Amino acid sequence: MGQKNQSLRAGKVLYIVGAGGFGRETLDAVLAGLEATPGDSDLCFVDDGHPGEVIRGLDVIGSGAVLAGKDFVIAIANPDVRRRLANAMLSGGSVARTIVHPGAVVGPETYLGDGTVLLALSHISSSVRAGNHVQVNYNATVGHDCVLEDYVTVLPGANVAGGVTLGEGSTIGSGAIVLPGLNVGRGAMVGAGAVVTRNVPAGAIVKGVPAR
Ligand SMILES: CC(C)(COP(=O)(O)OP(=O)(O)OC[C@H]1O[C@@H](n2cnc3c(N)ncnc32)[C@H](O)[C@@H]1OP(=O)(O)O)[C@@H](O)C(=O)NCCC(=O)NCCS
């Protein structure tokens, strides 16, 4: 597993990249982790749309003000934007930190990659392999033996059954269900509330019950 928020050390900087809705939700997860294991950390948002502002009591800086060698998490739902910003931060010498809300459940033999974010009440079962910069939102469940490739997004309340592979940059919409053992291709989008009963080709958008 990448470094977890519970291990933040005094004086250590964490950049939360993106000060929008998911950025603030990621901040909630970071702060909950700090409460679970008291510590101290300098937190700030990085967002070129809001430099100089204060959001939720944190300073917002532009990307040009980022210092090398500090930790970061990309807190933006769009997988393509997340990939671009993660690569920019990494090439600038920043270090991706994994954020797990203390109210998330992570099963045994499950691996979480660097920069991955699990929000409260997400449940990632056993023997799951989640890549880098994956996001699993509130109340979403991921079954045993799933593979979530880099930049996957599982939106609130989605239910991914056991043995599913979610391709790089794919998104599972709110409340959607993916039946066991299926593959969702790279960059595909599963609509909110869909029930996926067949493999989804790369780049496809599917919706409805059954998903088409
Ligand atoms: C499926 C989805 C990607 C389609 O987006 P889109 O291509 O922009 O689609 P549109 O909004 O233009 O809608 C096109 C049609 O699909 C229908 N539609 C949209 N989303 C649908 C869904 N999830 N299930 C069933 N039908 C849906 C619309 O009603 C519309 O139907 P119409 O042509 O008969 O009027 C999107 O609607 C969606 O479900 N995204 C998931 C978002 C989510 O879960 N967000 C949570 C954030 S916390």
Side-chain angles (χ1 to χ4, degrees), residues 2 5 14 45 49 59 63 91 102 108 110 132 135 144-145 157 162 166 168 183 185 188 190 193 199 202 207:
N5 51 321
L14 175 65
F45 286 114
D59 291 332
S63 53
S91 62
T110 280
N132 299 331
Q135 294 176 355
H144 60 86
D145 300 299
L166 302 180
E168 182 177 330
N183 281 282
V190 173
N199 291 338
K207 61 194 177 197

Side-chain angles (χ1 to χ4, degrees), residues 28 43-44 63 90 95 113 142 172 177 184 187 194 204 208:
D28 295 342
L43 302 170
C44 80
S63 53
L90 290 168
V95 180
V142 175
I172 308 302
I177 297 171
V184 175

